[in-house]
């Protein structure tokens, strides 16, 4: 019978451990390497990058989800914030406005006056009163001629927009017919409403009036002073309307008619040119307000033309002639 080897046995001997090198002997390099990980350790998964003990990645996911749901609103808010930021930056970059000084204002006014020609005070006064000035013609029959002829020409001024006109009495005295021509060119017959011989005034009423008739602005003459600038508006010798400028050269004057049978008192003396045909026209301040009715001119000769002195009845006297206060 064949004997089995002495080392053959069902019990396996434990693996031999490498012997420790003696003290002072070099350690082999293989013995210094760390032991290979066990299969179980190798099979365990590495820590995932999507998990954290603090939960930060999960908060990021929730934030992305909120932003995705409100993407349009966030875009609008972002655009508004950007616009506001740009506006604030633009405002901050603008230079501060320079403080205006009196020298700057004077220079601007001077430049405007040099570049643009302004109308004179007389021109502005005429534009203000012109719509209220009318031409008056005295018409009548002359033997040997057919139809009515013009016997006299004068001026009047509208004092009430219903067609009430103030003029001199001598302009319409003895007239068979009175014809009015308004500033717009329309013509109307007129009748005499009232007269005031002591002030040489007459009040007329036009039978037809323009739709846009404008009454003149009246001003008391008590505020006048010698040297104040005035204009006289009328139809001298039937030409017009014409305007002449001058100053108030006297107050509370008296005038005796050439026939010597009439004395007018409390008159305004002026040196603006006036001639036959100006009678009954307005004497006007630089504000365009009527202070008197041109009545007479003084000429020691027989020419009957203006030589530098004219007279106007104060507008206050129109109150009694019209029967009401004009102010």
């Amino acid at each position: 019978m064949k004997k089995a080897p002495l080392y053959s046995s069902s019990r396996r001997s434990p693996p031999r451990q490498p012997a420790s090198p003696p003290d002072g002997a070099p350690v082999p390099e293989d013995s210094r390497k760390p032991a290979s990980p066990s299969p179980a350790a190798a099979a365990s998964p590495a820590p995932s990058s999507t998990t954290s003990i603090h939960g930060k990645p999960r908060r990021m996911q929730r934030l992305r989800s909120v932003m995705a749901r409100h993407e349009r609103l966030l875009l609008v808010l972002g655009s508004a914030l950007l616009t506001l930021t740009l506006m604030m930056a633009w405002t901050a970059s603008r230079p501060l406005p320079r403080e205006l000084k009196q020298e700057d204002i004077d220079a601007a006014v001077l430049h405007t006056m040099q570049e643009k020609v302004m109308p004179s005070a007389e021109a502005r006064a005429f534009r203000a009163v012109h719509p209220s000035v009318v031409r008056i013609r005295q018409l009548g029959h002359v033997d040997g001629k057919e139809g009515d002829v013009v016997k006299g020409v004068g001026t009047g001024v509208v004092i009430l927009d219903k067609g009430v006109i103030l003029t001199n009495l001598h302009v319409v005295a003895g007239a068979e017919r009175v014809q009015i021509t308004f500033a717009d060119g329309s013509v109307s017959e007129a009748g005499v409403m009232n007269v005031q011989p002591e002030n040489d005034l007459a009040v007329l009423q036009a039978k037809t009036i323009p739709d846009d008739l404008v009454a003149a602005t009246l001003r008391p003459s008590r505020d006048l002073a010698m040297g104040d600038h005035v204009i006289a508006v009328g139809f001298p010798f039937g030409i017009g309307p014409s305007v002449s400028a001058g100053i108030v050269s006297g107050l509370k004057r008296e005038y005796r008619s050439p026939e010597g049978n009439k004395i007018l008192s409390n008159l305004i003396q002026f040196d603006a040119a006036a001639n036959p045909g100006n009678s009954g026209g307005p004497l006007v301040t630089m504000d365009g307000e009527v202070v008197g009715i041109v009545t007479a001119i003084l000429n020691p000769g027989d020419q009957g033309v203006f030589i530098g002195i004219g007279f106007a009845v104060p507008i206050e006297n129109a109150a009694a002639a019209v029967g009401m206060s004009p102010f």
Side-chain angles (χ1 to χ4, degrees), residues 132-180:
S132 306
V133 178
V134 301
R135 181 176 64 176
I136 301 175
R137 296 198 302 173
Q138 185 183 141
L139 304 177
H141 179 74
V142 176
D143 293 338
K145 293 186 178 181
E146 295 183 1
D148 291 336
V149 297
V150 178
K151 289 187 173 182
V153 177
T155 308
V157 58
V158 178
I159 57 174
L160 293 175
D161 59 9
K162 61 183 181 179
V164 177
I165 298 165
L166 190 62
T167 187
N168 283 146
L169 176 58
H170 72 262
V171 171
V172 295
E176 299 175 25
R177 290 175 53 208
V178 176
Q179 188 182 73
I180 305 294

Side-chain angles (χ1 to χ4, degrees), residues 38 40 45 48 56 58 80 89 92 99 106 124 129 143 159 177 194-195 197 281 311 315 319 325:
S38 63
S48 173
K56 290 182 179 179
R58 293 182 179 179
E99 182 179 358
D106 295 341
R124 293 194 298 270
V129 76
D143 293 338
I159 57 174
R177 290 175 53 208
N194 200 1
V195 296
F311 298 105
I315 200 64
S325 174

Side-chain angles (χ1 to χ4, degrees), residues 56-300:
K56 290 182 179 179
R58 293 182 179 179
R59 286 200 295 271
M60 291 298 294
Q61 289 179 356
R62 288 197 296 270
L63 180 59
R64 291 193 187 99
S65 176
V66 171
M67 291 177 65
R69 288 197 304 270
H70 302 285
E71 180 180 2
R72 184 171 299 177
L73 176 62
L74 292 174
L75 286 175
V76 173
L77 293 177
S79 299
L81 181 60
L82 178 61
T83 302
L84 180 61
T85 303
L86 292 175
M87 290 181 62
M88 293 176 63
W90 177 75
T91 303
S93 65
R94 293 178 62 190
L96 294 176
R98 187 168 64 89
E99 182 179 358
L100 285 177
K101 298 181 179 180
Q102 186 61 43
E103 293 81 2
D104 300 325
I105 299 175
D106 295 341
V109 172
L110 180 61
H111 176 74
T112 301
M113 294 178 64
Q114 291 174 344
E115 294 295 325
K116 184 176 181 180
V117 179
M118 304 297 291
S120 66
E122 291 81 1
R124 293 194 298 270
F126 173 71
R127 284 204 297 263
V129 76
H130 174 239
S132 306
V133 178
V134 301
R135 181 176 64 176
I136 301 175
R137 296 198 302 173
Q138 185 183 141
L139 304 177
H141 179 74
V142 176
D143 293 338
K145 293 186 178 181
E146 295 183 1
D148 291 336
V149 297
V150 178
K151 289 187 173 182
V153 177
T155 308
V157 58
V158 178
I159 57 174
L160 293 175
D161 59 9
K162 61 183 181 179
V164 177
I165 298 165
L166 190 62
T167 187
N168 283 146
L169 176 58
H170 72 262
V171 171
V172 295
E176 299 175 25
R177 290 175 53 208
V178 176
Q179 188 182 73
I180 305 294
T181 303
F182 292 98
D184 65 353
S186 59
V187 179
S188 171
E189 296 288 317
V192 178
M193 291 177 57
N194 200 1
V195 296
Q196 194 181 71
E198 65 273 20
N199 288 308
D200 192 22
L201 292 175
V203 181
L204 309 179
Q205 173 65 62
K207 295 182 179 179
T208 59
I209 61 175
D211 293 335
D212 56 351
L213 184 62
V214 178
T217 301
L218 308 182
R219 169 182 165 182
S221 63
R222 62 176 176 267
D223 298 330
L224 283 180
M226 294 177 61
D228 284 347
H229 287 264
V230 290
I231 61 171
V233 183
F235 293 84
F237 303 107
I239 303 171
S242 299
V243 59
S244 58
I247 62 170
V248 174
S249 51
L251 297 169
K252 299 184 182 303
R253 298 290 197 246
E254 288 189 352
Y255 170 77
R256 182 183 293 273
S257 65
E259 297 80 12
N261 57 1
K262 184 184 295 184
I263 296 178
L264 302 177
S265 59
N266 191 33
L267 300 177
I268 303 169
Q269 179 184 330
F270 61 90
D271 67 355
N275 285 287
N278 277 105
S279 295
L283 187 70
V284 185
T285 67
M286 294 299 96
D287 295 325
E289 299 170 335
V290 178
V291 290
I293 299 298
V294 176
T295 299
I297 56 176
L298 180 62
N299 190 328

Side-chain angles (χ1 to χ4, degrees), residues 41-58:
S44 62
S48 173
S49 61
T50 60
T51 60
S52 172
I53 59 175
H54 300 293
K56 290 182 179 179
R58 293 182 179 179

